Amino acid sequence: TGAISSLQRQMEIQESKLRRIRSEKEMLQKLFREQAVQLRAVSEKFCSLTEEQRQEEMMVLMQEDNRNLQQVVMEQESKLAEQNKLISELQETISQLRAELVTTRLHLLEQKQAQKEIQSQAEELQHKELQTRVALERISTKFERYRSKIIQATFSMEGIQDPQGELTDDELLEAMQKAFNERMEFYQLLKNKGSR
């Protein structure tokens, strides 16, 4: 957004310069017209003199005016050429700035689109995370119930001492193994006695 504002400011500056130069060009053209009016006034003045005086004064004035006019024309043509060149450069700069503005806006749109996609993916991941947590909580609850039943079944057997405090999984497994071994020994003993 900052880049777009900067480009728009540059465009406004360049367009302001272009308007100022066009205004100067119009002033030069107005000056040309004024000088043409002055030339007509001088011509009318000559008409009121005698033929000889008119011719002599006309020659002197014409030569002087010609020199002045040639000088003015050369200066004005030079200024006009410079201004035309500057107008052309400014128009080119404005075109470049407009192209940069379009590119920057497109880039900004692409970034916004990418941001939307990332936001959508993030929301989807949050939803999946929530689902996973709920599933994990259900599994943990089932596991704790199952473990509690195993502890209850293991330590309700005759001859197995009640646990002292919280049991680790290894301790529970050891207690189960012990109970199983004892039952197997007892079963084996009964079997042997029965066979005899």
Side-chain angles (χ1 to χ4, degrees):
T1 305
I4 286 173
S5 297
S6 175
L7 285 170
Q8 283 175 333
R9 277 197 299 277
Q10 287 181 42
M11 266 179 55
E12 285 166 8
I13 290 166
Q14 298 296 338
E15 284 172 345
S16 173
K17 282 183 184 177
L18 188 58
R19 284 194 296 273
R20 182 171 49 78
I21 287 166
R22 282 180 175 154
S23 175
E24 286 176 9
K25 184 178 174 182
E26 285 172 9
M27 283 175 65
L28 285 172
Q29 288 170 340
K30 186 180 175 186
L31 187 59
F32 272 137
R33 288 193 293 273
E34 285 172 359
Q35 286 173 351
V37 169
Q38 286 174 2
L39 195 58
R40 278 198 299 275
V42 169
S43 296
E44 287 169 6
K45 180 186 170 187
F46 286 143
C47 292
S48 63
L49 298 173
T50 63
E51 190 64 31
E52 267 182 51
Q53 287 173 327
R54 197 184 300 161
Q55 284 180 358
E56 284 175 16
E57 191 141 351
M58 187 180 284
M59 288 299 291
V60 172
L61 285 172
M62 279 179 70
Q63 285 172 353
E64 190 181 337
D65 278 349
N66 275 345
R67 281 194 299 273
N68 290 339
L69 282 170
Q70 281 175 349
Q71 183 66 30
V72 169
V73 167
M74 283 171 65
E75 287 172 4
Q76 307 258 342
E77 281 178 346
S78 174
K79 281 185 182 177
L80 202 57
E82 284 176 12
Q83 287 180 347
N84 283 334
K85 184 183 174 186
L86 191 54
I87 285 169
S88 177
E89 287 172 358
L90 284 170
Q91 283 174 333
E92 189 178 338
T93 305
I94 287 167
S95 295
Q96 286 174 352
L97 287 170
R98 281 182 178 149
E100 284 178 33
L101 187 62
V102 168
T103 305
T104 307
R105 280 179 174 160
L106 282 172
H107 187 57
L108 190 62
L109 281 172
E110 286 170 4
Q111 284 183 331
K112 281 182 179 177
Q113 186 62 34
Q115 193 175 1
K116 279 182 184 176
E117 286 175 10
I118 290 166
Q119 184 68 30
S120 174
Q121 288 173 2
E123 286 171 4
E124 193 178 335
L125 285 171
Q126 283 176 342
H127 183 64
K128 283 182 180 176
E129 183 190 8
L130 184 63
Q131 286 179 327
T132 305
R133 284 189 180 187
V134 169
L136 184 62
E137 199 172 322
R138 277 203 305 268
I139 290 166
S140 296
T141 305
K142 281 183 182 178
F143 175 74
E144 284 303 320
R145 280 203 304 268
Y146 182 63
R147 191 174 186 275
S148 178
K149 284 180 182 178
I150 290 171
I151 290 169
Q152 190 178 356
T154 302
F155 289 97
S156 65
M157 292 180 184
E158 197 176 322
I160 302 292
Q161 292 181 353
D162 287 340
Q164 301 297 316
E166 189 75 23
L167 272 178
T168 65
D169 290 343
D170 288 339
E171 287 170 342
L172 177 58
L173 188 62
E174 190 179 332
M176 284 174 65
Q177 190 67 47
K178 184 180 176 186
F180 177 73
N181 289 341
E182 285 178 358
R183 293 302 175 270
M184 284 303 292
E185 286 173 11
F186 183 68
Y187 172 73
Q188 206 59 43
L189 185 64
L190 287 175
K191 194 176 174 183
N192 290 339
K193 279 186 177 180
S195 64
R196 283 202 289 266

